Amino acid sequence: MLIDDIEYVIFRHPDLAAIRQFMLDYGLLDAVQQDDALYLRSYGDAPFSYVTTQGDAAFVGMGFRVASEDALLQLATRFGADITDCPHPGGGRYFHTTDPEGRRLEFVFGARRLEPLPSGGEPIVWNDAHAKNRLGRYQRPGYGPSHIQRLGHLVVFSSCAQQMIEWYGQNLGLKPSELIHDGNEANVLAAFMHLDKGAEWTDHHTLAIVQAAAPGLDHVSFECRDFDDVGTGHMLMQDKGYKHRWGIGRHFHGSQIFDYWTDPAGFHVEHYSDGDMVNADTPTLRYPFGRDTLLQWGPPFPGL
Ligand SMILES: [Fe+2]
């Protein structure tokens, strides 16, 4: 195994105060501000999940937590990169490179983990029509920002999706969980790709690559504590007057309960909960593009 997980996303924003306030309301927390870099953390143990620096708005890239020192060396050798001390909070050793479309990729091993923070009450015990599991106790999630546990995945646009899918497969070991095509299986329009962790269960997608006119970012997605945490976060973001993009609904690929918001610079961020898990034995599925590949229920995708 080369990569344990995706750990952080890298942006540039023209107004750091505005993006900080948006992200605090969205459910991230202050980690540290170093020079012109704003680091925000989740409630989980990652040193940070989001970093943005002052500048023209841009999606810069992503950082991965590498599985071992050996894996770091193996990856650095593959990319012909030098391993140095990691300058980010948590330290450790790292290197950086870029993919063929210019996205910055950082690989870190040995960063100090943070103490996870309390996420507001006990996990939900569900009562459904057939099984009553919560007896004599009330469901009271409380009002406030979502409790983001970790960065979950990125969905990027590519002008040459098939080549990028192959590149991420060959170089990072990502494997397609599900592929979307244009009606002909040979013409892949998008891939939802998971980390290669063998028999270990991993998210249905850590990176999705979608064919588009030009490279870019569709969204960055953060895992919330649970379904109610997505809902209460939605209410707070709505009350604060932020721009909503799409949701609440349940995706098809990955099955997440989703809710999308748009940050002050126009980037989309997703709250999600209840995503699928896959492993090396999960077969790759293929679908033609259509409404059903976007969601199972919820409002229609804006513009479709
Ligand atoms: Fe997503």
Side-chain angles (χ1 to χ4, degrees):
M1 186 205 306
L2 290 174
I3 297 171
D4 254 344
D5 205 357
I6 196 165
E7 182 116 303
Y8 55 88
V9 63
I10 311 163
F11 280 100
R12 281 200 308 270
H13 282 86
D15 185 343
L16 290 191
I19 188 61
R20 175 178 171 272
Q21 190 56 55
F22 174 89
M23 278 299 172
L24 295 183
D25 290 331
Y26 177 73
L28 289 174
L29 302 159
D30 280 319
V32 66
Q33 194 150 356
Q34 262 173 213
D35 305 322
D36 68 341
L38 170 71
Y39 291 92
L40 299 169
R41 66 166 291 186
S42 306
Y43 283 73
D45 69 353
F48 66 100
S49 299
Y50 186 102
V51 55
T52 186
T53 51
Q54 180 86 44
D56 290 343
F59 160 63
V60 176
M62 63 202 94
F64 293 94
R65 186 174 74 242
V66 172
S68 65
E69 203 152 14
D70 261 8
L72 185 69
L73 188 60
Q74 198 180 321
L75 283 163
T77 305
R78 182 172 297 173
F79 290 108
D82 293 329
I83 297 171
T84 62
D85 285 340
C86 181
H88 297 309
R93 301 281 287 166
Y94 103 132
F95 73 89
H96 60 86
T97 186
T98 53
D99 76 14
E101 291 189 306
R103 297 172 196 90
R104 184 178 173 96
L105 304 178
E106 299 189 354
F107 298 87
V108 185
F109 175 72
R112 283 182 306 279
R113 313 310 295 168
L114 295 178
E115 195 63 38
L117 297 169
S119 298
E122 294 298 309
I124 299 176
V125 177
W126 293 96
N127 285 341
D128 68 25
H130 303 287
K132 305 301 182 192
N133 301 306
R134 191 179 69 254
L135 302 170
R137 289 184 292 124
Y138 303 138
Q139 182 58 23
R140 299 278 192 267
Y143 175 80
S146 297
H147 299 80
I148 289 174
Q149 305 295 304
R150 56 185 275 271
L151 174 64
H153 62 260
L154 270 62
V155 175
V156 299
F157 293 127
S158 167
S159 58
C160 51
Q162 298 198 47
Q163 290 97 308
M164 291 307 299
I165 292 160
E166 277 169 35
W167 190 90
Y168 274 90
Q170 283 164 5
N171 291 287
L172 271 64
L174 299 187
K175 302 208 171 318
S177 303
E178 297 190 275
L179 294 164
I180 298 176
H181 56 80
D182 68 357
N184 174 353
E185 284 195 7
N187 296 331
V188 172
L189 299 175
F192 293 86
M193 304 185 81
H194 64 264
L195 296 169
D196 180 7
K197 302 183 77 167
E200 201 177 310
W201 296 103
T202 186
D203 285 344
H204 172 276
H205 52 279
T206 292
L207 181 70
I209 299 169
V210 178
Q211 180 67 37
L217 176 73
D218 183 71
H219 69 270
V220 177
S221 189
F222 296 88
E223 184 169 16
C224 294
R225 199 189 77 152
D226 53 33
F227 181 91
D228 271 336
D229 205 46
V230 175
T232 55
H234 177 99
M235 196 172 173
L236 181 130
M237 295 293 279
Q238 195 169 46
D239 287 350
K240 297 251 178 183
Y242 290 118
K243 191 173 175 206
H244 189 238
R245 183 203 194 191
W246 183 33
I248 295 174
R250 188 182 281 280
H251 277 309
F252 185 84
H253 299 295
S255 306
Q256 302 95 336
I257 300 289
F258 67 85
D259 191 31
Y260 291 82
W261 294 86
T262 302
D263 86 6
F267 296 111
H268 304 304
V269 288
E270 178 184 31
H271 280 144
Y272 84 87
S273 179
D274 196 26
D276 292 329
M277 304 295 282
V278 298
N279 71 6
D281 295 329
T282 309
T284 302
L285 301 178
R286 291 168 172 80
Y287 297 86
F289 177 76
R291 193 186 77 163
D292 292 349
T293 59
L294 285 170
L295 80 170
Q296 304 192 68
W297 58 258
F301 185 72
L304 271 191

